[in-house]
């Protein structure tokens, strides 16, 4: 019978008889089975109830898995397991190959004589009504690609530099009204994080490779010495074949950079020209004390790490309610910019969200309240934390 609302339709082909023949079009026997929706509850409520069963690791993980399945790629790492996201050997080999390959050049005379076709821009731009679920006014807004970071220029608040997950860097001079691509000619457009130096505001860094999306096509750091107008790549073997979660610049030294990636916490004292491993294993977040750069925090699956010697040595921080055996799904750490003695740590353990606060430099962390209805099903993917720059509370 006719369903009360649009729903799934299944077409089942019936096997032809041995004596019969089936044409390509129109004569193959089949039956159409229509699933009639249950009218007891709204569609969205039913989908929300069913989602944890259908997608125990979240819809993003299922999309990544299906994306790879269609293309014959290996399955992504299960975020609920040990979750080593260093990337497959094939991905690393490909990234290194692209990083070392020289781009082929087309002689100018040949190019002119060949009368190459004129290209027409197709994007990126907004996808009208691009949201694919929800109902009612405003449920299907125009959308664009995912962004992994943004810098508001300290010299000009109308100047923005946007870090997109797979579209490179974009700049705006009119507070976001219009945008210009900045890195279309770079070897990779997969970006993970961006940061501006406090002590030399003309210096900016952007890290290639995307940690959140598990896209390990990192090749090193993009660097700018003109406040983000032009960028050059500093290729690095240590940052090749990884995805980056976070990037921080020492507030007193514009060439000292920290990079948290799927492989390690990396450190550089020459602006990314050379990179060393500071902490082995995945690092989601890094925060540097703005008044005492010797203090650095790093968030890892094994817990919160702290250095009081600019990263030369590290110790595990005690967080109430956890032990040395606690494994975190995701963690973010952030100094309060206006009072860096205050530090916040937001984390997810399994499906449980937790928040801690430190009120004095070197002091202990205390547990804070978290929203009771916080959804943590995709905490491994879209977990973030920030403290207002003017208000440490």
């Amino acid at each position: 019978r006719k369903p009360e609302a649009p729903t799934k339709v299944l077409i089942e082909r019936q096997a032809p008889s041995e004596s019969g023949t089936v044409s390509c079009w129109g004569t193959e026997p089949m039956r159409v089975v229509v699933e009639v929706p249950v009218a007891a509850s709204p569609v969205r409520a039913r989908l929300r109830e069913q989602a944890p069963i259908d997608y125990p690791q979240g819809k993003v993980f299922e999309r990544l898995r299906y994306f790879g399945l269609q293309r014959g790629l290996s399955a992504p790492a299960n975020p609920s397991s040990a979750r080593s996201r260093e990337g497959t050997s094939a991905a690393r080999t490909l990234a290194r190959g692209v990083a070392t390959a020289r781009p082929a050049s087309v002689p100018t005379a040949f190019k002119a004589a060949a009368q190459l076709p004129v290209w027409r821009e197709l994007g990126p731009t907004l996808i009208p009504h691009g949201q694919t679920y929800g109902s009612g006014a405003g449920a299907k807004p125009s959308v664009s690609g995912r962004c992994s970071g943004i810098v508001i220029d300290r010299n000009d608040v109308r100047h923005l530099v946007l870090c997109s997950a797979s579209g490179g860097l974009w700049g705006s001079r009119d507070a976001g009204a219009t945008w210009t691509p900045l890195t279309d000619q770079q070897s990779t457009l997969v970006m993970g994080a961006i940061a501006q130096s406090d002590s030399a505001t003309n210096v900016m860094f952007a890290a290639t490779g995307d940690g959140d999306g598990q896209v390990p096509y990192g090749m090193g750091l993009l660097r700018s010495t003109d406040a983000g107008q032009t960028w050059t790549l500093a290729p690095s073997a240590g940052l090749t074949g990884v995805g980056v979660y976070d990037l921080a610049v020492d507030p007193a030294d514009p060439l000292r950079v920290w990079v948290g990636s799927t492989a390690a916490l990396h450190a550089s004292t020459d602006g990314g020209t050379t990179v060393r491993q500071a902490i082995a294993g995945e690092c989601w977040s890094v925060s540097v004390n703005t008044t005492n750069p010797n203090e650095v925090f790093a968030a890892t699956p094994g817990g919160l790490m702290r250095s009081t010697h600019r990263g030369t040595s590290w110790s595990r921080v005690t967080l109430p309610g956890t032990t040395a055996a606690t494994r975190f799904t995701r963690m973010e750490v952030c100094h309060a910019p206006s009072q860096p003695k205050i530090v916040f740590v937001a984390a997810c353990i399994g499906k449980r969200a937790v928040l801690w606060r430190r009120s004095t430099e070197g002091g202990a962390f205390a547990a804070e309240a978290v929203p009771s209805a916080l959804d943590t099903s995709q905490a491994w993917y879209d977990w973030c934390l920030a403290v207002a720059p003017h208000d440490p509370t």
Side-chain angles (χ1 to χ4, degrees):
R1 63 192 176 100
K2 184 178 180 181
E4 299 173 4
T7 183
K8 293 187 293 184
V9 175
L10 174 65
I11 298 179
E12 297 183 353
R13 299 180 182 274
Q14 297 176 345
S17 63
E18 295 181 358
S19 59
T21 58
V22 178
S23 301
C24 295
W25 301 103
T27 60
E28 183 179 358
M30 63 180 64
R31 63 190 181 93
V32 178
V33 181
V34 179
E35 178 187 352
V36 179
V38 179
S41 61
V43 172
R44 192 165 188 174
R46 294 203 308 277
L47 291 175
R48 187 180 298 112
E49 294 171 0
Q50 186 66 24
I53 300 174
D54 293 341
Y55 317 109
Q57 283 83 36
K59 293 183 178 179
V60 171
F61 181 78
E62 181 61 24
R63 284 198 293 270
L64 287 172
R65 187 199 66 78
Y66 186 61
F67 180 88
L69 179 66
Q70 290 177 306
R71 292 157 177 79
L73 304 176
S74 59
N78 189 331
S80 63
S81 65
R83 296 168 31 264
S84 172
R85 299 198 198 119
E86 297 182 4
T88 63
S89 58
R92 287 175 174 273
T93 301
L94 174 61
R96 290 192 177 97
V98 176
T100 57
R102 293 184 176 181
S105 60
V106 179
T108 304
F110 173 77
K111 185 186 299 185
Q115 296 182 348
L116 298 176
V118 177
W119 288 85
R120 177 171 57 89
E121 181 184 1
L122 296 179
T125 184
L126 285 179
I127 304 170
H129 309 295
Q131 187 60 275
T132 57
Y133 56 87
S135 60
K140 297 185 181 298
S142 299
V143 299
S144 59
R146 177 168 57 87
C147 298
S148 50
I150 189 170
V151 160
I152 302 173
D153 190 348
R154 292 180 176 85
N155 302 310
D156 178 5
V157 296
R158 293 179 59 81
H159 178 212
L160 312 176
V161 183
L162 186 72
C163 178
S164 67
S166 56
L169 301 180
W170 291 73
S172 175
R173 288 286 179 177
D174 50 16
T178 59
W179 294 88
T180 302
L182 303 174
T183 56
D184 280 1
Q185 305 306 315
Q186 294 295 336
S187 300
T188 178
L189 298 182
V190 179
M191 308 300 302
I194 187 171
Q196 183 178 26
S197 167
D198 287 340
S199 56
T201 53
N202 60 306
V203 175
M204 292 186 186
F205 295 93
T208 61
D210 173 30
D212 285 328
Q214 301 181 39
V215 185
Y217 293 151
M219 297 179 179
L221 297 181
L222 292 177
R223 305 186 295 194
S224 174
T225 56
D226 54 12
Q229 297 183 68
T230 59
W231 296 82
T232 57
L233 177 67
S236 168
L239 296 177
T240 296
V242 304
V244 173
Y245 292 103
D246 200 9
L247 177 64
V249 184
D250 188 302
D253 183 353
L255 296 182
R256 186 182 293 271
V257 186
W258 301 94
V259 182
S261 81
T262 53
L265 172 64
H266 313 268
S268 175
T269 58
D270 52 15
T273 301
T274 59
V275 177
R276 68 175 178 86
Q277 179 178 281
I279 299 177
E282 195 168 32
C283 178
W284 296 308
S285 176
V286 57
S287 184
V288 185
N289 189 319
T290 54
T291 59
N292 176 20
N294 287 318
E295 182 182 65
V296 184
F297 281 99
T300 74
L304 181 66
M305 305 299 292
R306 178 175 183 253
S307 174
T308 57
H309 302 91
R310 266 193 169 99
T312 56
S313 61
W314 297 84
S315 59
R316 191 179 188 277
V317 179
T318 300
L319 298 173
T322 70
T323 68
T326 301
R327 298 294 294 180
F328 292 84
T329 305
R330 188 71 180 259
M331 178 190 291
E332 292 283 314
V333 57
C334 186
H335 286 85
S338 59
Q339 294 187 34
K341 65 180 181 179
I342 297 176
V343 178
F344 287 90
V345 178
C348 182
I349 305 173
K351 295 183 178 181
R352 178 170 62 94
V354 284
L355 178 67
W356 297 279
R357 179 180 185 270
R358 186 191 78 174
S359 57
T360 59
E361 187 164 331
F365 282 82
E368 299 282 335
V370 297
S372 59
L374 193 63
D375 184 359
T376 61
S377 61
Q378 290 184 174
W380 63 272
Y381 169 73
D382 47 16
W383 194 256
C384 55
L385 171 70
V387 182
H390 65 290
D391 184 354
T393 66

